Structures are given as C-alpha cells and as structure tokens.
Amino acid sequence: MTAEGKARDMTKRHDSPSGEDSLIARYFRPLATDPGAFNLDDDAAALKAVGEDIVVTTDAIVEGVHFLPNDPPDTVARKALRVNLSDIAAKGALPAGFVLTLALRGMEEAWLKPFAAALGEDAADYGCPLLGGDTVSTPGPLMISITAFGRVPQGKMVHRSGARAGDRVFVTGTIGDAALGLDLLKGGPVALALANDAAAGDWLTSRYRVPQPRNALAKAVRAHASAAMDVSDGLAGDLTKLCGVSGISAVIDLDSIPLSDVARDLVSRGVVGIETLIAGGDDYEILCTVADDRVEAFAQAAKSAGVALSSIGTVVAGSTVPKFFDGQGSEIVLKRRSYSHF
C-alpha cells in the first residue's frame, strides 16, 4: 500500500469507530461520571487521594461458576459489582470507583442493555462510578472482572490480621441462603422441598444472584473491628483464614449463627445440614472480630446503619482451626469448610 493509501486507511478507521468503541460509548460511557474517568477517552483513569489510602480489590465472576447461563443480565451486573463492594466494606473503606473487564461472546443488545442499566444503577446507589476498563471477545464462557477502589484515612484499613484472644466474633445478615439458592436453581433437594413455596424459592434465588454488600457498616467496622473480611467462600472457611492470618483460633456457637427462616426450616426438616450453610459460598456478609470494650458501640452502630448483626463466638489463643459446638456443647467436626475453585 502506498503512503497515501495508508493515510486514507488510517483516516477511515479514525472516522469510523470500531464495534468495541461503539459498545463502550453506547453502554458504558454514561456510567463514567467521575472526572477522573476522562469520559473513557484516555488509556487510564486518575483517582485523587489527599490524606487517604486507596484500597484496591478485584473479583471476577464466570458463567457456569459464579452465575448460571440463564441468569438475567441485570442480576449478573449487580453481582459483579457487589462482590467487590463487599470486600471494600469489610476493609472499612468507602467506594471510590471501579474498572470493568468484559469477555463477551458477541454484542447482543438484549443482554448488554439491561446489564449496563443495572450496573449504572448500582454504581450510582453505592457511589462507585465506572472509571474505565476493557472489552474482549471470547469463544468461551462469559466473564466479568471488576477491580474496585475504596478510600480510607491513612493507615486505617482493617486487615484480616489483628484479632486477639477475648475478642467477640460477629457476622452480619444471615448465612447460607445463597448456597440454598444455587441448589434450588440447579434442581437439587432444596428445589424439591420448596416446590410449593414460590415465595421462599424466589427469595433464596435472589440471595444467590444479588448479594447485599454491607457498605453501610464500613465506618463502624473501621472504628471498632480488630480484624475483618467478607464471607465469600463460606463462613467456616473464611473464619479459618482470618484466624490463620491473626495467629489465633475461635470457638463458635452453631446456634448463634444467624439463619433465615427458610434456611432454619430446611435444616429442621433434614433437607440440608448446617455444614451446607456454613461451608457454602456467596454470602457476602461481613465477618469481624471486636474487642469486648467496643462491642456495645459496634452493636449500636450496626443498629443505626440498619444492618443485622450477630455475635457467634469468641476468639481464643491457639493455632488450631476454629471449633464449632452445637446447643448441647458437642463439637461438630466439619468435613469441609468452604467452597474451593481447585
């Protein structure tokens, strides 16, 4: 090609945006409301931090692993952002923004339009605007990866380490509903048990598809928790991780673990065991430890924030895995503690 031909070709490509550029402009540029996103016209974004630390977390959700192929696109969008917001909350940080990577099989407006609309609604509701990202094509499963940023005062991020013997162990919300929702969607025992209870089934399904990150509690976690993390792979396994990093152990009262009415009913009927609930993933609740002299203030802060909070046990000295005891004081030995990808 001649130099003149090359120039004409480059001009043509510049004047006619690619399919990827059109996709970004149509569906995602309206979400980029932060000035540091530069209207998605640059190669990177900029976050200003004055007297703050920037907390960074990333999670990907993959079709067939974290959501089902027939899940509605709006719920997929909300889950993709909210699992990251949950990590931000557990660190005591406030959302600052996120970048998005989409691996798509094609440009399907019927999927992209509700996906982008729901993502935009959550970005606005949680104060976490889109800052940039990337879109790629894939012949494989759909994948959405988000890296989220949060802000905390310098040196105030709450770590997994920091728990001390004598601290109380707390968890927000209820545990195990998402695992039950997934079982229902896959046609497992829960689906059969709730065949005549559509309301209960719909509620469990929503708990799996659309997490409820506890960002309203972030400041209280920062002010009062000695250690914290979100429950993503299962309460028992995530508590084991927190204890391992902190160099301590814990004693947990199974009867104190908060269960929804639906979950409690399924356990009482023998449809599922308690291990299914505490070793299942996708709860996205906050697990934290709090010193005795801060428990009352923490509980009051949770009440003011409208976040349900339960004390489920005590941190103890030692290096053994956390122990779980039933209402009769007998230890329950768990065959598994968490979901694992490998």
XYZ file of all heavy atoms in Angstrom, residues 108 198 233 311:
28
model
N -24.648 -8.380 21.962
C -26.085 -8.627 21.970
C -26.789 -7.549 22.788
O -26.666 -7.516 24.011
C -26.382 -10.003 22.543
C -25.721 -11.146 21.782
C -25.936 -12.488 22.456
O -26.762 -12.556 23.390
O -25.277 -13.457 22.048
N -43.293 -20.836 46.279
C -42.627 -19.983 45.292
C -41.957 -18.773 45.935
O -40.870 -18.359 45.515
C -43.630 -19.520 44.240
N -16.470 -17.431 50.467
C -16.287 -18.858 50.186
C -16.905 -19.771 51.245
O -16.765 -20.988 51.156
C -14.789 -19.177 50.058
C -14.169 -18.509 48.850
O -14.880 -18.344 47.845
O -12.985 -18.154 48.901
N -23.548 -11.931 67.237
C -22.341 -12.415 67.901
C -22.395 -13.943 67.894
O -23.355 -14.537 68.381
C -22.286 -11.898 69.345
O -21.192 -12.464 70.045
